[in-house]
Amino acid sequence: MTSTSSGQSDREPYLIEINRYVALGCLRIDEALPISLFPGPSDTEWIELLFPLLPDELKLIIGTEAAKLLEAGWIRLFLHRLPDGNLTPNIIRVYVLPEDWGRRFIDRKSKSLKSALRELLHRVDSSAEVWSGNISEAKPRPFDPWASAENVSLFYLFNKLPSPTPSPARIKDRYTRIAVEELLDSTSPINPEEYDDQPLRGLKSRLYPYQARSASIMLQRESAPQLQLDPRLEVRQSPTGESFFFGARDGSILKEPRFYEANRGGILAETMGLGKTIICLSVVLATIGHFPRIPPAYQPPRRVRDRVGLLAVVAADTLARHSIPAKAYLERLEADESINLSTCKEIVARHPPHYEIPYEPTRMNRNTKIPPPKRLMLCSGTIIVVPRNLLQQWQTEIRKHLLKGSLKILVMDTISKRAPKTHELLQYDLVLFSKNRFEQEIQDSSDEHGRPRQTSTYESPLKDLHWLRIIIDEGHSFSSNFSNAVILAKQLYVERRWVVSGTPAKDLVGVEVDISTLETENEQALLRESAVDQRKEFSLKDDTSGAAKALGSLASNFLMVRPWCDSGSEGRLVWDEYIYRHEHQYKKTFSGFSTCFLRTLEGMVVKTRPDDVERDIILPPMRHRVIYLKPCWFDKMTANLFIQVLRANAITSERSDVDYLFHKNSAKARQSLIRNLRQSNFTWTGFSLEDVASTLETSSKYLSKNDKKCTAADAEMLLESSKIVASLLESERWCALSKTHEVGMAIEDWPSESEQSFALAYPEKPAMIGITQLLEGQSHVDHHILSDDPSEGLRSIGEIGKTKLIQLAEAEDAIKKRRAKDTAEPQLAKGGVPSSYEKAQLPETSPLRNTRIVGTTSAKLSYLMGTVMKYQANEKIIIFYDGENSAYYLAQCLEMLYVNHRIYARTLDNVKRAQYVKLFNEDPDVRVLLIDVACGALGLNLNAASVVLIVNPINRPGIEAQAIKRAHRIGQTKEVLVETLILEGTIEEAIFNRAKNMSRNEHLEAKMLEDDNKIIDIIQNAKVLPIEPGECEGFAQFAALEIPQQVFGRPGREKYHRFGLSDIKIPERPRAKSVKRPRNDEHNLSKKSRRDDLNEINVASAMPSLLPIPILGLPAPLALPPGSNGYEQTDSSLSSSLFGGHHTGPASQM
């Protein structure tokens, strides 16, 4: 043993040696140690334990692990002796030899010793009091051998990231520093006459301060990346107050830090609607002419000349070698000083920056021929890859925010458009790709592993350039490692990589989006704080999959963040190993996030907190309210018919086997029924008379059986619903709608001579006319409005139209067989009214002025019609629908009201979608945009709208928030009104209330809402809607319009865009819809071109003498085909025609 004293000068060399160790902490020895084992001066406070002199007894006391480490030289131990020589209580100081010192003399690769050190760490007390020997009052402070925990959720970490705070002074590159200063100065208002004098030239929009800060921090990270601590290490404090570095996963201890250069890029995660597009464009604009750095490994040496070179040439070579933006600087100097520097620019152009990469063969032999090195030109351009449906929107934003000619832009939008050659690409500042077109560039000579392809015929010119930057809009999809787009992006030589997405991973959104669906008037800041705190706790289920893994894939694949990406020399790290706290040496326990993850997030993500955004900009308020509508008789009967189907199925199948819809093997049929149930809350004509008669017969037969196995309560419920549904067979109006699959309009004062030919249930009052026939009659009268009697011939129009509908309904089976062969185009266009009639009005005395729509067979349709007419004159309106049939009926009604609209349908190609968005935003005549919730809630900027109507509750907070944010975003100047429509007292209302009260975890667990047991319970135990006395007759059957709407000669007809409803793709089972209009030849071309861009609607006719008639998709009836899911139809089951149907909306949005 050796004694040491801190006060003895002859021990100074030894103290220097011990300072190379890390003071880790102390071991507490509970057993009494004999003083005889520790001879030495009485004034010696700490006695070093040397392994060769250590008695076996003491080796057992200090532990096997400590003894092994002491023998190997990994640690040094010092025993504490009190001034009186007493050794009780016993404290042993532990010094650990750091891994970054002494490797030459001591083996640090032993797995057994690493394991022993890990075990020893569990016994160490790292408190400073114990280290000083004062153990009496010291509280134990065990050394934490695992990663320091951030025991909060990813949602909390994401929303608590600090806002960007750029610091131009920290940027060494003068040109980037100037660009950042110009960005920060670009927040003041700009007058058109002052465009030439604005700080950031070419920008004609004012940046909000937070946008300027975000763009500036992006440039700062690109040009002046910080040296960041290896994310595997964390800083720990020794008991002496010194810092050391600890690798929790492998137990490594370092004296000196290990750094990586921070990534030159990351994720721009500003919340949707806060201007991510203009931020990106500002970054591109601020770095016009900037070049990427030549990689140090390929930096060309200074050129040695045979003779003295021209000074201009030497200067140009030097500028190129150091990536100086000489051309941009000279052009700015010309503009500022009004001088001609064309000669200088020509010299610079003749010496473009470039470098060469030597070929490295994987194998060498005497026949190996080494090809010449690959020459790469430095390119100052930026590649931006956007979803195909957003390409047009990007071009619109460019025109809106940038001066014409400020950027040289190449748009690559179609597959047939071939990329220019290398020298041509060098001329562009921005190359805008659709994602589909970008993926085509993968058709080259190498695969994802860099190996040659055998059938290659194309070498992408993108690979011959070293690009300054690549930006991926809505880039969360780039987390995959196997898509062609990601493979190509990784193969490109790019210095700076950015992903742009307000939702960088699934369900990872800003808290302001998370609360946007709430109905509240509370202070937004308090509401946000409350929402963040509610989701603060780390969840083993939610935070160990999905979003966290997606961020890891982005970091390691597209963004190529070190050390997560495969850098060749050290491979790639396993993301899950380090971003979590794992409290086991080998197993993953996922005990919370680690500080490593927080540092990685802070280094990748650029996001401004909402509080900071609000200091710079205040969006107009948004009111979100739920409108509870009283169902009309038709709505109630539809709801009761579904309840009858559910009850009959449950009771007659005796809730067993696959006959039962809620059996585990009947998922497909159950999901189909629930989809149809959801869509039926708007309107539904999918049940035929035969369907109703069949379910009543089946129910009656079962209840009359002597051996039935049902309770008295079940029998009473089935009798109750059967009695209500049976009244449908006596309703002439319901039977007519079921047969023609029309939505009914209640009309007062229809011309008496033609009322019988139009009315679906003559002579009942008010007259009920189908919307399709109503459009035909309206078109006829409006076309002949200047004649003496515009209603002349109206009777024949009605008779022909009614005949077509009946014939088509009867010919449904034949149509289904022929629809694959039919390719004729629909005749759905609004009549091309000759211009001389467009502004004409009916005479004041004309009885046709009194013909009005007073109600419809759908409470939601009546409300929507009234709301559209209330706001459309001054506000633009978005209507989110669910299902093609809803869109079709809505579009027919808007056409009847002469309200210009477009349908953003799932079946449209992306080019047409983009055109419709542009038209809606820019054309003052287009007042309404119908959007399928399945495709309209991501990436669209629709701030021209200030009214948002949601036909059926979306019930998924994330999807609903995305939909609302289409209108409530930067650029919105009006208060935004959002209304969600719900039928009062129905299954829809009960499910809506349940969905609102579901926790986030419950939403995540339920892939579809019907996976939630409480929602299934709501559907299974739904109660019928009572029919009030007198409600089944006359006008009481209808949902009244608040303001009746004139049918004939409506004002504003001249502004209506004359094309039809062919945006809607027909579902699987078609039904007849016929709109035959007089059309003007001058409009035929535009209507035909519009139809050519859409999916064709199959046409068939039951009568050879009739013109081809377009078929509208039937609202999908319930269907459980015999044999599906192991189901075989029996007498106790319902008719198969009552189940199944076409999937017209995402089941997850019930």
Side-chain angles (χ1 to χ4, degrees), residues 51-117:
F51 184 80
L53 305 177
L54 205 63
D56 292 340
E57 180 184 356
L58 193 54
K59 291 179 182 178
L60 292 176
I61 292 175
I62 66 174
T64 305
E65 296 85 3
K68 287 173 59 177
L69 294 167
L70 186 62
E71 179 183 17
W74 283 38
I75 64 173
R76 291 175 69 174
L77 305 177
F78 292 83
L79 180 67
H80 185 232
R81 175 159 42 187
L82 296 176
D84 59 2
N86 194 350
L87 298 176
T88 303
N90 302 308
I91 304 171
I92 298 178
R93 281 181 176 176
V94 180
Y95 289 85
V96 177
L97 183 67
E99 287 195 13
D100 52 353
W101 187 88
R103 301 179 67 91
R104 183 176 176 185
F105 309 102
I106 300 176
D107 179 21
R108 308 309 300 270
K109 298 181 180 179
S110 172
K111 291 184 178 180
S112 62
L113 290 176
K114 284 180 176 291
S115 180
L117 178 60

Side-chain angles (χ1 to χ4, degrees), residues 1083-1102:
H1083 302 294
N1084 289 350
L1085 182 59
S1086 63
K1087 287 179 286 187
K1088 183 179 185 303
S1089 63
R1090 181 172 188 264
R1091 293 194 301 267
D1092 288 342
D1093 287 333
L1094 307 175
N1095 291 325
E1096 292 178 343
I1097 296 181
N1098 293 297
V1099 178
S1101 173

Side-chain angles (χ1 to χ4, degrees), residues 131 433 687 711 1030:
W131 182 266
F433 275 96
F687 291 117
T711 65

